[in-house]
Amino acid sequence: QEEAQRLGRLLRPKKSGQGARFYAVVARDTLDQDYAAHRQRFLAEQGYAYRIVDADAVLSGDDI
């Protein structure tokens, strides 16, 4: 619940009209991956756009 509140504050529209971004780095086959899946469902239910980017794409600059 605390994380949900924190994300809500971080992603709230700013006075300047700019959007906010939230990044999470998650390793495969870890407990954190389960937490990230729950976070993804929560954000999607709240209407936030969510996308998963593979590390190879980030490192190559293809999908930032």
Side-chain angles (χ1 to χ4, degrees):
Q1 183 177 356
E2 291 174 5
E3 184 177 25
Q5 290 174 340
R6 190 175 316 112
L7 285 173
R9 279 193 303 275
L10 289 171
L11 298 174
R12 187 175 299 141
K14 309 301 177 221
K15 290 180 182 179
S16 66
Q18 287 185 315
R21 292 181 182 206
F22 171 78
Y23 295 90
V25 177
V26 181
R28 285 189 186 107
D29 302 323
T30 64
L31 186 58
D32 287 340
Q33 188 175 9
D34 293 335
Y35 291 128
H38 290 288
R39 184 184 307 116
Q40 179 184 7
R41 277 192 294 276
F42 169 76
L43 290 172
E45 288 171 358
Q46 299 301 312
Y48 291 105
Y50 193 101
R51 88 183 153 143
I52 298 171
V53 180
D54 192 74
D56 292 334
V58 172
L59 293 172
S60 68
D62 292 340
D63 200 42
I64 298 178

